[in-house]
Amino acid sequence: MSTVTEPQFSEARLVEIKALSKRYPHQKSALMPVLYMAQEDFGYLSMEVQQMVADTLSLKIMEVREVVTFYTMFREQPCGKYLLEVCTNASCMMNGAYALLDHMTASLGIKAGETTADGMFTIAEVECAGACAGAPVVQVNNMYHENVTANDMDALLTKVRAGEVI
Amino acid sequence: MISSDPKQVQRICFDNIEVENMHTLEVAKAHGAYAFLPNVLKDFDTDKIIDEVKVSGLRGRGGAGFPTGLKWSFVPRNTGKPIYLLCNADEGEPGTFKDRDIMRFDPHLLIEGMIMSGFALGVKDAYIYIRGEFLHEYNVMCGAIEEAYAANLLGDNILGSDYSMNLMMHRGAGAYICGEETALIESLEGKAGRPRFKPPFPAVEGFYGCPTVVNNVETIATVPAILEHGAAWHAAIGIPNNTGCKIFSVSGDVNKPGNYEVPMGTTLKVLIEDYCGGLKHGSVPKVVIPGGSSTPWLTGEHYEVPLTYDDLMKAGSFLGSGAIIVMDETADLVAITHRLTRFYAHESCGQCTPCREGTGWLERVLERVNAGQGSDDDVKVMKDASTHMAGRTICALAEGAAAPILSLLEHFPEDVQAKLLNPQQAEKTS
Ligand SMILES: Cc1cc2nc3c(=O)[nH]c(=O)nc-3n(C[C@H](O)[C@H](O)[C@H](O)COP(=O)(O)O)c2cc1C
Ligand code: SF4
Ligand code: FES
């Protein structure tokens, strides 16, 4: 017997997944929402978690892998407690997104795509967030922050470091 | 409330956009939501609704501008297969941010539109495919849908009628290509979002091989007003063949960026000067991308163009999604083109060689040119590669990727030359 415990969805999740699957013509449509659930429950989609999703929905592992690797919001690696996603597409770029990104990478000492050593922050450069009137836009764990200045970002990082929930 | 005098009408989808708590059923109902729905369920049928939508002149607001009533009339009935209605809320075209406001501020308008459109098409199961990043909007929509179910506006025997329809939200996960309707269908089937060959068109063979209508959020949200006020009312707004209002998402070098819903035919200049507080610098824009980043650029010469499908086509571009990106004289066009090209290279789904290879190659060339290391040969390569990419692929992404480059080379060759001559010029500035 393996000593590592395999990841398992909770009973409540399995009930939720069963109900969800019935709302589509075929169970396979539930794959993306179930991957979101798995990512929420396990932090990221390791091979073991992907296998568990495949088993739960009676899919081949390749069908799950194909989807996980195609979509940028599914993560195969752990990321920081706070995921800071900076949009640098055209409208944000015209409104100082790169200066903001440079400020963030300098103050956290990491590059875009990296995570701080304490596991607190990951910085990512992303495509148009669909909120260009508020350029530059930064998503913090999927919460939109608009018209973000370097000062705003410093204040936010200070708050998080002081243990405040944002 | 919407005025019945077309001359008075300013807005359709945004009629109640500033109303506080409009996302709750109670407030939405107090402002007329679902008031006309019983009449539709009782007095209208498929043919009557399709006819109304046809006569209204409504054209798709997602990008292609296809007449909505005509699209609906292509759906074969009595095939024995279910018919699906999918709302496209993927909103990924750079510059576009209108559907987000409808969903977060007036979700019941979209739900009512889905019920009426679903009723017209005989749909039992409808889905709204929303881009994954819009988590807040997803939650607002889910809350509104839950309230609608509890009030018997969704589910079995809606408001006591014979009509039953389910509506469900489905999140994308960060892939621009899933906004293309057949990629959206693939994605909703639990697969990678790779566009399908057309024909067959989704109206005939779509979601799990069944007849499927895909419409944009703004298109669907316009349907309730058309049915309530009548096709003629809608057709009287705007100009013939370009009727109704349109939400323009304006961003870039303007003083008040934002969403503005105006009657079709309003000029670009009026939109920018009267609504958006004018340009940040200068009196005429250097470049205006009129319909999202995939549409060809306009220059100052077209500042007074009326914003309609037809006029923008005459001007050499498209109305697209109505996302207007404005660049004034301070904009670094080569840097912006490089950034947009990187976007397309990243978002290409990879199944057509000209698109996959072309976007990647163009990105590398533009990176070099923007960094001041480009040569005249690079300019030639840019021109050839972008010219040859379009029209030879499964979907229109490749054409959209070529648009900024071809526009840059056509209208601003001196900006490109300046970069070639000044190796010191750093990238990342604009
Ligand atoms: C690359 C690509 C991306 C697209 N993205 C979107 C989108 O985000 N939202 C949308 O409504 N339509 C998008 N479209 C257009 C859709 O394919 C489709 O035409 C539209 O959803 C139909 O709805 P409508 O007739 O109401 O406009 C995109 C098309 C392409 C080629
Ligand atoms: S044109 Fe590009 S994005 Fe569209 S199907 Fe082909 S490879 Fe995919
Ligand atoms: S360009 Fe940044 S949100 Fe659109």
Side-chain angles (χ1 to χ4, degrees):
Chain A
M1 287 292 286
S2 152
T3 48
V4 186
T5 44
E6 301 284 322
Q8 252 322 309
F9 275 128
S10 68
E11 281 304 315
R13 271 299 196 210
L14 290 172
V15 171
E16 196 183 342
I17 290 167
K18 205 165 171 189
L20 178 82
S21 303
K22 289 206 189 112
R23 305 198 56 187
Y24 296 101
H26 296 282
Q27 174 160 301
K28 191 169 182 197
S29 286
L31 177 55
M32 287 174 67
V34 171
L35 285 170
Y36 271 123
M37 290 177 193
Q39 191 160 277
E40 194 180 317
D41 295 354
F42 301 94
Y44 67 101
L45 303 169
S46 64
M47 277 307 284
E48 293 74 28
V49 169
Q50 292 182 48
Q51 184 63 56
M52 171 197 70
V53 169
D55 294 343
T56 308
L57 291 173
S58 312
L59 295 171
K60 295 193 198 78
I61 184 67
M62 276 319 293
E63 296 176 289
V64 176
R65 300 251 343 109
E66 203 206 17
V67 166
V68 169
T69 52
F70 187 82
Y71 298 94
T72 55
M73 289 179 71
F74 294 134
R75 297 187 303 269
E76 292 196 87
Q77 303 295 329
C79 79
K81 193 166 170 217
Y82 290 92
L83 174 58
L84 312 173
E85 296 178 293
V86 186
C87 169
T88 57
N89 209 307
S91 301
C92 287
M93 179 182 182
M94 283 188 265
N95 282 283
Y98 277 107
L100 180 67
L101 180 62
D102 289 346
H103 176 80
M104 289 164 65
T105 52
S107 49
L108 290 174
I110 51 170
K111 289 197 224 98
E114 294 179 348
T115 303
T116 52
D118 61 1
M120 277 298 267
F121 301 103
T122 299
I123 299 178
E125 188 184 346
V126 295
E127 297 300 353
C128 177
C132 326
V137 176
V138 180
Q139 293 161 253
V140 181
N141 289 350
N142 244 309
M143 270 274 294
Y144 277 60
H145 295 251
E146 304 184 14
N147 303 303
V148 181
T149 62
N151 283 343
D152 294 341
M153 203 24 89
D154 290 344
L156 193 134
L157 297 181
T158 308
K159 264 197 204 166
V160 170
R161 287 210 178 94
E164 268 182 64
V165 183
I166 53 159
Chain B
M1 293 290 286
I2 290 178
S3 159
S4 53
D5 174 2
K7 295 279 170 293
Q8 290 291 311
V9 168
Q10 288 299 310
R11 303 190 300 183
I12 297 175
C13 291
F14 275 5
D15 195 36
N16 292 307
I17 205 79
E18 285 102 8
V19 175
E20 220 170 302
N21 291 322
M22 190 67 191
H23 66 281
T24 65
L25 183 57
E26 190 189 346
V27 174
K29 274 189 153 171
H31 286 82
Y34 305 109
F36 195 67
L37 182 60
N39 304 53
V40 172
L41 296 173
K42 197 160 103 331
D43 303 330
F44 287 61
D45 60 18
T46 300
D47 292 332
K48 181 165 172 188
I49 298 177
I50 293 183
D51 220 50
E52 284 287 296
V53 174
K54 271 188 184 163
V55 175
S56 78
L58 177 64
R59 295 171 64 175
R61 305 303 197 216
F66 195 83
T68 307
L70 191 61
K71 183 188 274 189
W72 292 5
S73 72
F74 292 153
V75 175
R77 291 177 245 163
N78 314 321
T79 58
K81 291 182 186 170
I83 296 166
Y84 292 104
L85 174 63
L86 311 181
C87 177
N88 191 342
D90 198 51
E91 190 142 83
E93 173 82 2
T96 318
F97 47 89
K98 65 194 177 67
D99 300 337
R100 178 187 182 217
D101 278 2
I102 296 176
M103 292 188 285
R104 64 178 170 156
F105 296 131
D106 199 355
H108 288 288
L109 180 65
L110 178 58
I111 297 171
E112 188 174 10
M114 288 297 281
I115 301 167
M116 290 180 178
S117 308
F119 175 70
L121 295 159
V123 168
K124 294 263 171 298
D125 289 290
Y127 300 86
I128 298 175
Y129 185 103
I130 185 170
R131 65 178 292 177
E133 291 86 348
F134 284 172
L135 184 58
H136 171 72
E137 292 70 19
Y138 169 82
N139 287 328
V140 173
M141 285 299 311
C142 285
I145 288 174
E146 204 171 301
E147 274 200 283
Y149 266 104
N152 189 217
L153 293 158
L154 285 169
D156 292 337
N157 302 99
I158 295 173
L159 299 179
S161 70
D162 291 339
Y163 183 58
S164 304
M165 187 185 98
N166 288 308
L167 177 61
M168 188 171 159
M169 297 299 296
H170 185 98
R171 288 177 75 198
Y176 162 66
I177 192 59
C178 290
E180 195 282 336
E181 57 185 5
T182 60
L184 184 151
I185 291 170
E186 287 282 306
S187 181
L188 193 60
E189 291 182 3
K191 295 185 270 185
R194 295 204 180 86
R196 298 176 180 171
F197 279 104
K198 290 189 264 191
F201 287 92
V204 179
E205 222 178 292
F207 189 40
Y208 288 112
C210 300
T212 303
V213 166
V214 182
N215 274 129
N216 174 258
V217 170
E218 187 184 352
T219 311
I220 299 278
T222 306
V223 171
I226 292 174
L227 298 190
E228 181 171 354
H229 302 289
W233 164 85
H234 187 266
I237 307 166
I239 63 165
N241 201 37
N242 302 269
T243 60
C245 293
K246 178 79 191 80
I247 304 170
F248 292 98
S249 305
V250 190
S251 68
D253 294 327
V254 293
N255 288 315
K256 286 197 297 173
N259 279 317
Y260 300 96
E261 186 178 26
V262 294
M264 288 264 194
T266 304
T267 68
L268 177 60
K269 188 173 178 186
V270 164
L271 181 69
I272 290 180
E273 297 191 351
D274 296 359
Y275 291 82
C276 303
L279 300 166
K280 283 191 189 160
H281 304 96
S283 54
V284 176
K286 186 170 183 183
V287 170
V288 172
I289 311 185
S293 65
S294 306
T295 59
W297 299 358
L298 303 179
T299 59
E301 164 197 4
H302 289 115
Y303 200 23
E304 305 209 15
V305 68
L307 295 167
T308 68
Y309 297 99
D310 295 344
D311 287 285
L312 284 166
M313 231 158 147
K314 254 187 267 159
S317 189
F318 300 105
L319 184 107
S321 60
I324 300 185
I325 305 174
V326 182
M327 304 177 207
D328 66 22
E329 64 206 20
T330 64
D332 182 341
L333 303 183
V334 178
I336 290 169
T337 305
H338 169 230
R339 183 63 189 87
L340 289 175
T341 306
R342 214 174 93 206
F343 165 77
Y344 291 107
H346 180 245
E347 300 298 336
S348 166
C349 83
Q351 65 179 335
C352 320
T353 309
C355 173
R356 184 187 61 240
E357 301 296 322
T359 54
W361 196 18
L362 284 161
E363 184 200 347
R364 289 190 294 278
V365 173
L366 267 153
E367 170 143 30
R368 194 156 61 225
V369 172
N370 188 41
Q373 260 123 49
S375 64
D376 284 325
D377 276 353
D378 286 328
V379 177
K380 203 172 161 295
V381 165
M382 272 158 67
K383 182 150 204 157
D384 286 350
S386 41
T387 309
H388 287 116
M389 212 160 57
R392 300 166 71 224
T393 53
I394 297 174
C395 89
L397 182 139
E399 219 172 305
I405 302 172
L406 292 172
S407 298
L408 174 72
L409 294 176
E410 182 185 340
H411 300 296
F412 302 97
E414 63 286 357
D415 288 47
V416 181
Q417 281 301 321
K419 286 258 181 172
L420 300 182
L421 295 172
N422 291 308
Q424 288 89 339
Q425 202 140 7
E427 62 171 330
K428 287 189 180 178
T429 50
S430 71

